[in-house]
Amino acid sequence: MASVRAVPTLGGMRRLVLAVVALLTLAVGAQAATNPVVTAIERSADVRSSTLRMSVTTVGGGTRQTLTGTGAQSGDSVSLSMRTRVAGQSVKMDAVLLRQGGSYVMFMRSPAFASQLPAGKKWLKIDLSQQAANAGVDFASLIDTGQTLAPLEKGLVSTKRLGRETVAGKATTHYQAVVDLQRAARAIPAYAKQIAAVQKATGLTLGRTTQHVWVGGDGRVRQIRSTTPTVVQGGVRGTATQTITFLAYDVPVRITAPPAAQVATP
């Protein structure tokens, strides 16, 4: 990140969380590159719920910023509780993503921008479907694991089994896969539109990426990690490395929208 403000703005916080959502989507989808991994993702996609922890580290412009957090998923609803540091200050953020009124929406809350919201409001509501539509992307397809598996399988270049490792106290097998996103785009027109929109928005050319996935003894994904190019503040190019560790599957999870009286809509 080229520079940081002492106090993050609401707009800056919103962009950060939207970036995290995009990274999570890419991380989950981009592992579908080798048969054992495809099988593991399909088994993981069939679960009713899961709990997880995550870490996203962005490096660029001579600086490094790390965001960590925990989360839960139930169906296509997600809740996240995240923390990062800006100019030496700890910044906490909560996000809830779910379908509401036919759209996929995100509710954000953070003490860092509480003073920028109207009196009595604690949450900011963002229509993610509209955000994605403005960029020419179908957000519904981005969050559908079944739809992301096909294009990323088409982009498979090579796979490699790296060995056995312990993740979150579980024995796992570590796999590495090289995925050519442009090859996948050529094979699937709908995915090509998504790639084109991302490249236009960032000015980056997406090519081959190396992805890592750890599969547990139950045949489900236990951890995923990927590094992708990104653009940080000031237009500086950098990289973002995200790791998602799945702690439990099919556990009780309840995700609901915050009270309407506490929600502000831009």
Side-chain angles (χ1 to χ4, degrees):
M1 191 171 291
S3 62
V4 293
R5 298 183 176 121
V7 178
T9 65
L10 187 151
M13 297 288 283
R14 179 172 59 186
R15 287 192 296 273
L16 177 58
V17 176
L18 286 171
V20 171
V21 172
L23 291 172
L24 290 174
T25 302
L26 288 173
V28 172
Q31 310 307 319
T34 182
N35 287 342
V37 175
V38 170
T39 300
I41 288 180
E42 290 174 345
R43 290 179 179 175
S44 301
D46 288 339
V47 303
R48 296 183 300 275
S49 62
S50 64
T51 58
L52 59 92
R53 67 170 179 251
M54 54 163 285
S55 172
V56 180
T57 299
T58 303
V59 178
T63 63
R64 178 188 185 96
Q65 185 171 22
T66 298
L67 180 148
T68 59
T70 58
Q73 164 270 331
S74 178
D76 60 2
S77 298
V78 178
S79 65
L80 297 170
S81 180
M82 301 164 285
R83 187 177 297 274
T84 188
R85 296 190 70 83
V86 177
Q89 300 180 33
S90 178
V91 179
K92 187 177 184 299
M93 295 168 284
D94 295 312
V96 176
L97 300 90
L98 44 75
R99 290 191 183 275
Q100 189 178 76
S103 296
Y104 203 71
V105 300
M106 177 172 69
F107 299 92
M108 282 180 53
R109 175 178 65 180
S110 174
F113 58 71
S115 62
Q116 302 172 53
L117 295 175
K121 306 296 184 180
K122 298 181 179 179
W123 295 83
L124 174 69
K125 180 180 178 180
I126 302 167
D127 188 330
L128 291 178
S129 298
Q130 185 60 50
Q131 294 268 345
N134 290 340
V137 177
D138 179 4
F139 191 85
S141 68
L142 287 178
I143 62 173
D144 186 330
T145 303
Q147 293 187 49
T148 60
L149 285 172
L152 290 161
E153 285 183 274
K154 295 292 186 181
L156 172 64
V157 175
S158 63
T159 61
K160 183 178 181 180
R161 184 181 184 276
L162 299 184
R164 301 283 291 174
E165 297 177 18
T166 300
V167 174
K170 305 285 186 180
T172 69
T173 302
H174 181 184
Y175 294 94
Q176 174 182 288
V178 176
V179 180
D180 188 329
L181 302 183
Q182 295 297 330
R183 179 187 295 182
R186 289 192 296 270
I188 304 175
Y191 187 64
K193 294 174 72 173
Q194 296 176 6
I195 290 293
V198 171
Q199 292 183 146
K200 180 179 179 180
T202 63
L204 300 172
T205 299
L206 301 180
R208 292 188 176 188
T209 62
T210 299
Q211 312 290 342
H212 293 261
V213 59
W214 289 257
V215 178
D218 59 355
R220 290 173 172 170
V221 174
R222 285 296 163 183
Q223 184 167 271
I224 52 181
R225 177 177 298 147
S226 61
T227 299
T228 55
T230 189
V231 175
V232 297
Q233 188 169 324
V236 177
R237 294 192 178 189
T239 59
T241 299
Q242 56 276 356
T243 302
I244 305 173
T245 304
F246 294 93
L247 303 176
Y249 289 108
D250 288 329
V251 292
V253 170
R254 184 170 182 265
I255 300 173
T256 60
Q262 298 180 10
V263 176
T265 303

